[in-house]
Amino acid sequence: MESLTSRMQAIQSPIIPVVGELIKNSPGTISLGQGVVYYSPPPEAIEFLPKFLAKPDNHLYKPVVGIPPLVTALAGKLQAFNGIEINGENCIVVTAGSNMGFMNAILAITNPGDEIILNTPYYFNHEMAIAMAGCRPVLVETDENYQLRTEAITQAITPKTRAVVTISPNNPTGVIYSEATLRQVNEICRTRGIYHISDEAYEYFTYDGVKHVSPGAFGGSNKYTISLYSLSKAYGFASWRIGYMVIPQHLLVAVKKVQDTILICPPVISQYAALGALQAKEEYLQENIGAISQVRQLVLNSLNRLQGLCTITPANGAFYFFLKVHTQMDAFELVKRLIQEYKVAVIPGTTFGIDNQCYLRVAYGALQQETAKEGIERLVKGLENIVS
């Protein structure tokens, strides 16, 4: 049995647990690594838990696509915030986080050997899911500001291409794609008869007056656009595992097969909590994301001291900066030294598909101001001493 091999040997290992082990072995390390927020779910989420417990049949399986009250609430949110109308051409499926939504989508639209276009740097779990499904990720480089190159996307399409994936606001770069660019990608997908998978997990995290745009709201896109959403970030719901997807109606049977096999139904207690979270006052998001915006500015001010050692690309979304470090050092080796010598953790760019130079993802959503200030100071000092 020790010699047993499987498809999993070809899949990269998730980087977060690897860095987590390094942090564990270096007590006192401040993490600028994992992409989570510092705050908890709104009180409305917790207040809905007794409603779950009050109904004995809630301990039984519920609909594969999600409990009706939550699906209705999500339809209202999608109409109000995203401009997406749920109608006969599309539908909502509640998932155990948006990573599951992505896996559902890949298994529903592909056969082994098919291709999915990812723009680099990519979100590592997307690349992993595509490989697990026996498909091939086709990587298309973004420009020097991590913006999409629509001509390169078009050139990468082959008869085996089944979808183009976009993430806006982006993980790991924090950049936001313009409406014009997203419309171009969406139109490319329409004319070539492929899907546009739009990951919008960071939809609320936009700064400097930039507005979020949902491709699923574009006229006529319901039949080929798959939109992925998550409560993990904006509502502090990381461990509750609730996300949702908006899919073309013709994919519902396939997606239900996948979800019923892997999950049966999303945890119903978490769905009740999500229903409560969606009823939170507007101030909940405004205040918490406003606080993250202040941390973002603090982090940016400190990073700007690294001009010459690093390239810091402007980013108006999510809670990440993606640094290009001007060194020949291996990114993971640099991460290890930063943890062991300066007690600050970041994520190497290699896990996001960038292995030709040294890149680091800096995440600032998990920390309040004082801790973030100390963490970023350690990072700046470490890079100044190690790289220069």
Side-chain angles (χ1 to χ4, degrees):
M1 291 298 292
E2 289 181 4
S3 63
L4 181 68
T5 60
S6 81
R7 70 182 71 192
M8 288 305 163
Q9 288 186 304
I11 310 299
Q12 67 164 304
S13 296
I15 192 64
I16 299 298
V18 174
V19 173
E21 191 64 24
L22 292 171
I23 293 171
K24 180 181 175 182
N25 294 330
S26 186
T29 296
I30 294 175
S31 178
L32 299 169
Q34 194 163 18
V36 293
V37 295
Y38 72 90
Y39 55 88
S40 301
E44 291 86 349
I46 310 305
E47 290 164 5
F48 262 64
L49 299 185
K51 297 185 179 186
F52 165 83
L53 296 170
K55 294 184 178 182
D57 69 346
N58 277 336
H59 301 297
L60 303 176
Y61 297 128
K62 293 298 177 182
V64 173
V65 299
I67 58 174
L70 180 56
V71 172
T72 299
L74 291 171
K77 175 267 176 185
L78 287 161
Q79 178 78 65
F81 185 80
N82 304 94
I84 296 176
E85 179 185 359
I86 301 302
N87 51 38
E89 293 184 343
N90 61 2
C91 57
I92 297 168
V93 177
V94 181
T95 59
S98 61
N99 273 6
M100 181 172 192
F102 187 82
M103 194 78 204
N104 284 352
I106 296 301
L107 290 173
I109 68 174
T110 65
N111 290 307
D114 284 343
E115 297 173 351
I116 304 290
I117 292 176
L118 297 181
N119 297 282
T120 58
Y122 54 62
Y123 172 45
F124 53 85
N125 281 135
H126 285 176
E127 186 270 344
M128 293 166 68
I130 293 164
M132 284 181 197
C135 296
R136 189 171 80 90
V138 174
L139 308 184
V140 175
E141 291 184 8
T142 50
D143 69 16
E144 65 276 7
N145 293 315
Y146 308 125
Q147 293 292 327
L148 300 176
R149 297 163 56 237
T150 53
E151 288 186 7
I153 291 171
T154 301
Q155 291 170 1
I157 295 173
T158 75
K160 289 189 174 183
T161 305
R162 294 293 171 262
V164 176
V165 179
T166 61
I167 312 170
S168 183
N170 189 263
N171 177 11
T173 66
V175 304
I176 295 175
Y177 304 141
S178 69
E179 179 175 348
T181 300
L182 288 171
R183 282 187 179 276
Q184 288 176 15
V185 173
N186 202 254
E187 180 64 12
I188 290 166
C189 293
R190 184 190 69 80
T191 58
R192 302 300 287 268
I194 60 179
Y195 292 96
H196 181 180
I197 302 177
S198 174
D199 188 329
E200 303 173 39
Y202 299 89
E203 58 185 329
Y204 292 105
F205 295 88
T206 62
Y207 315 104
D208 300 332
V210 179
K211 300 296 183 183
H212 176 67
V213 176
S214 295
F218 300 158
S221 70
N222 284 344
K223 294 181 180 179
Y224 57 90
T225 303
I226 299 170
S227 305
L228 307 178
Y229 301 95
S230 173
L231 272 72
S232 294
K233 312 304 181 183
Y235 289 97
F237 247 62
S239 73
W240 292 86
R241 306 314 305 137
I242 291 292
Y244 54 103
M245 56 195 307
V246 179
I247 61 173
Q249 185 70 36
H250 65 259
L251 289 179
L252 180 58
V253 171
V255 167
K256 286 172 72 173
K257 287 179 182 179
V258 178
Q259 183 140 305
D260 186 73
T261 301
I262 297 174
L263 185 70
I264 298 182
C265 67
V268 178
I269 189 169
S270 294
Q271 292 190 64
Y272 268 76
L275 185 57
L278 292 173
Q279 299 185 28
K281 297 178 177 63
E282 287 186 15
E283 289 77 15
Y284 170 79
L285 291 178
Q286 291 171 351
E287 292 174 5
N288 286 311
I289 295 176
I292 288 179
S293 178
Q294 293 178 354
V295 171
R296 170 182 174 270
Q297 193 57 53
L298 180 154
V299 169
L300 187 56
N301 291 342
S302 294
L303 289 178
N304 281 334
R305 288 161 37 199
L306 294 171
Q307 298 286 354
L309 290 179
C310 299
T311 299
I312 301 109
T313 300
N316 293 316
F319 32 75
Y320 306 115
F321 288 110
F322 201 60
L323 307 185
K324 179 181 180 181
V325 186
H326 302 158
T327 178
Q328 297 302 310
M329 186 181 301
D330 175 77
F332 187 65
E333 287 303 313
L334 179 54
V335 167
K336 286 200 292 187
R337 287 192 61 182
L338 286 167
I339 293 172
Q340 293 164 354
E341 298 173 25
Y342 293 91
K343 294 190 182 299
V344 62
V346 289
I347 302 297
T350 45
T351 200
F352 305 102
I354 306 293
D355 53 14
N356 57 339
Q357 287 181 286
C358 185
Y359 288 80
L360 304 174
R361 189 190 75 173
V362 179
Y364 54 84
L367 305 175
Q368 298 195 44
Q369 281 204 30
E370 286 308 308
T371 310
K373 184 176 182 180
E374 173 62 24
I376 203 68
E377 286 298 315
R378 293 182 188 182
L379 177 64
V380 170
K381 182 179 179 181
L383 290 174
E384 286 175 337
N385 290 339
I386 295 171
V387 176
S388 61

